[in-house]
Every structure is written in C-alpha cells, then in structure tokens.
Amino acid sequence: MADFLYKGVVDWFLDQVSQEAIAAGDRMPSLRALAKQLGLSLNTVIHGYEILTEEGWIESRPKSGYFVCHRSDTKPALLLAGEALRKLAPVGSKAAWSCLAHRGALVDQSDAFLVSSVRSEEVDIPVLGKGHLTVRETVSEHLKGLAIKNHASQLWLGDSPLTMLTQSIQALTQRDDTVLVITPCDPRLSSTLQSLGRRVISIAAGDRGVDLDLVVRCLQENEIKLLILPGQFAFPAGLAISNLSLRRWVAIIDELKLPTIEWDLCSHLPHRAGSLMTYKSLDSSDHIVYIGGVETKGVNRSASWCLPGRHQSALEGAFLSIDMALSDAQQQALSEALLSTGKRSLVRRARQVWANSERIKAHLETHLQGQVSFAASKGGMGLWMNLEAPLNQQDMTALLANYRHVIVPGTLISDEPDADYWMAINVTLDDVEPLAKKLAERLSLKNEGASEAKRTSAKASAVESSHAEDSPKKASAEEKKEDRKQRDASTNPLYNPMLDLINHDFG
C-alpha cells in the first residue's frame, strides 16, 4: 500500500505501463472514472495526475483529457544554430523534382480529413476570386486564435499553398535575385526558389532559433530581395522562438522594409498545449506575406489561405491569373475542419497526430536502440531523427524505394555539413512497423560493414607494425591517458551552453 493515497495513482499507472496495458499516445482514463475504479477521492486522483505530468509520464491536452507521453531513454539530439550562411549552387529544377517525389512525406496521410459533406455533384463547382465571405470569416477567426490580426476581406483562399508560394515569389522578386531562407524547413521552399532561377542563401536555426547576428551580417553583405521564414511549427521539428526573438526579427524586417513570406502550414499541430505566437502576429507594418493551410494526400483535399499584407496589389493579379479558387465542397470541408466541435476538426486531428507521434517515437527507439535520437518536437507532422552514422547511397536508395511517402533525407531539408546524419519521419503514418524493421535492417548491415572494415584495418596495422624496422618506444600509462584525452577533446568538443547565450539569440 502506498504511503500516501495519491501515490496509489502513480503505482497503478506504472503497473499498467509494465504490463503494456497503457502505451505512449494512449488516452488516460478520466479523473472521475479512475477515482471510481481505484476507490479514491477526485482530489487524490487529480494530485496523482499532477505528479505524473511533472515527471513527464502524461500530458494534459485542452478539452481532450490526459495522454501518455513517450519517455525516451536516449539523450535527445541537439540541434544547434548554424555558424555560417550557405550559398546554394544553382541546380535549376533538379531539386524541385526531388521534393516532388517526397510530397507524400510532407503532408497529412489521412484519407478521411478534409472530406466534405456536400453532395458529390457539387464538388467541381468553382468559386471565383478569394472564396466565400463566410468561409473567409471562419479562417479569420482561426487566425485570430494564433494572435494574427486580420480581416476577412484581406484573406485569399486557394487549393494549394505551394501555388500561393510560387506566385508570391514571382510577384515579389526577379530572376537571379537573392533570397534568404531559414532551415531546416519544408524542402519545397528552397527547391521552388531554385527552380524559378532565384539565388538561395540558407542559415540554419537551432532548437530556439537562429543566430540573429549572423542574419544581420548576411543582410548587410548581400542584396537580399526576399526573406522566407518557416513557421514555429514548421516541418520537420518546429522551433520554440521566444517573443523577444520574434520582436527582433520583426524589427529587422521593418527597418529594411524587407518583403517576407512566413510559411506556416502546421500551426494546428502543436505538440504541446497552447499556441505559440507567429511572426505575422507581431507584424504591425504588414511586410509579411502569411501563407498557411492544410495539405493531405487525397485529391482535392488541400486548402490554403494567404494574408498578402501591404503586398496586396502585387499579389492580387498573380492570384487571380492562375484561378486557384476552392470549390463549394472544398470550402465547406474547410469550414467544418476549423470548427473545434466538428468530427473532422483541426483540434481533433492535432490530438490524433500528437498521440501517433508519441507511439512512433517509442516504436522507432525500440527497434533502433542506441542508433538514433530525436530532436525535441515542438509541433508539426515530422520527427527530426539523428542517425548515429549516415546511410550510404545504396542503403538510402533501397529505403526510399518503398518509403518515399514517409521519410525525407536530411540533405533535402538542411544545408548544413551534417545533413546526411538526419532524416525526417512523417508522424501521420498509421503503421510505422514496416519502416522500423527496414531501417533497423539497413542500419545493422551498415554497422556490420563498419565493424568488418575496422577489424581489417586493425589487422593491417598489426602486420605493418610487426614488419617495421624500428619499434617505437612504449608509452607510459599516463602518456596514453593524456593522448586519449586530447584526442577525445579534438573530436568530441564539449557542449557549453554559455556559448549559445553569447553567440546566439535565445530571447
């Protein structure tokens, strides 16, 4: 019997976990139901849930209840801000083709989401221009929940966020103009720019944002015509940028009057309760073009919206010229999704995706013990996974042959030198078991090959040493220990958080 009654709740939970009756992503019993089951008072169960929450076992999600978290035994992958800007080589449309092949891994895998209740014969009826005012008002209210001030008359609705991005780039820049992109991000941002003949400079962000001093130097030394910012819940892992950092970003944009696009398709998918502020929510000068939306793999089941800001006149003609309007049925589905009480609401979908993400992390770590770690997830539909050693071209090709709709190689998402150590996993996938097995198989083969190469190298070194004319003097134990310490220090530099506080802006 527990010393304190509320510990009985903790003991019950740990017992359920040990028996695998409760797993990561599962919904916990309601407070009243568990109180009745255990014969405890409601306040006692509430206290027990508070303890489990503080220790990271469960998490409260607004209007949804408590859910079981995945408690990792592996140290999280550390994502640091980049220390240099990267000027991407012009590759034309090659990168765009690569990203197009991975589109399935960038969108929601659900077949049921954004399905309209409108009769099928009305599905193809077009709606001219921006879309119905009532639907735009619904989207407007959704954006106000993200602290984005707007009016329904300012909004444009469309059937493809990528189309909105493409038209915005073409309207705001010219061929050979230089554009600054913050990575890691949706690979379609950089690839679209390259396919349109723009010059791309990328700067990598860490867990809490980018080095703003590096950004300022980049803007001073290069004639940047456009800035593209992934939203806080952007693919693959999202960020947790402080309000102070956001304000510094907006101040830079205002001072330079720099046209900016915020690409924010995942604000409805936070991995933690509550919403984070966006760049657009602080944009009082309206320099930021805000593009959001919902993408799914189903045909005609994607929707997007755009706030052009002060660039309304430049973008209006571009948007009208391509006829990207949603049909009546698509607008009805979007309205239903934005209502929190709906059966197919964004709120309910966010809860499903978060729970599935916890299950997928637990599953992958079980199969790939010690070989992978994950960057802390802030939101969105991707896990940013760090590999102990990168896959070679043959193994990656074999993996992508069947799972291109699930994974995206890190080299498409980041331009940093260690990008091939990273991989993005779509967490809206229903069954991750086949991928986990195939990835474990590939990593095991790689490890076996590395071990064999190491043994061969050691054997060759021993033979060479035995034939040497003059054997080196045997080092003392202290000298060997000192050499090992120096070697470790040179290959594995210690992480000093104070350097981040000095060199990077954490807000």
Side-chain angles (χ1 to χ4, degrees), residues 7 10 34 38 47 86 88 91 122 136 142 151 167 183 193 256 294 303 316 323 336 398 486-487 501:
K7 287 188 177 180
V10 177
L34 189 59
L38 300 180
H47 193 181
R86 311 288 175 187
L88 306 193
V91 292
E122 298 178 357
R136 284 185 279 129
H142 168 71
H151 192 275
Q167 292 301 109
T183 62
L193 289 166
L256 300 177
V294 182
E316 185 175 43
D323 189 19
E336 293 172 355
Q486 292 177 357
R487 186 166 58 251
L501 294 176

Side-chain angles (χ1 to χ4, degrees), residues 114-127:
L114 281 190
V115 178
S116 173
S117 59
V118 177
R119 295 195 306 273
S120 59
E121 60 266 24
E122 298 178 357
V123 168
D124 297 322
I125 297 177
V127 178

Side-chain angles (χ1 to χ4, degrees), residues 42 250 378 382:
L42 184 60
V250 173
K378 310 300 186 305

Side-chain angles (χ1 to χ4, degrees), residues 469-487:
E469 292 182 2
D470 297 317
S471 299
K473 186 178 180 180
K474 188 176 181 181
S476 66
E478 287 75 13
E479 290 173 338
K480 287 183 177 180
K481 186 176 181 180
E482 184 64 27
D483 288 343
R484 190 180 303 111
K485 286 172 63 179
Q486 292 177 357
R487 186 166 58 251

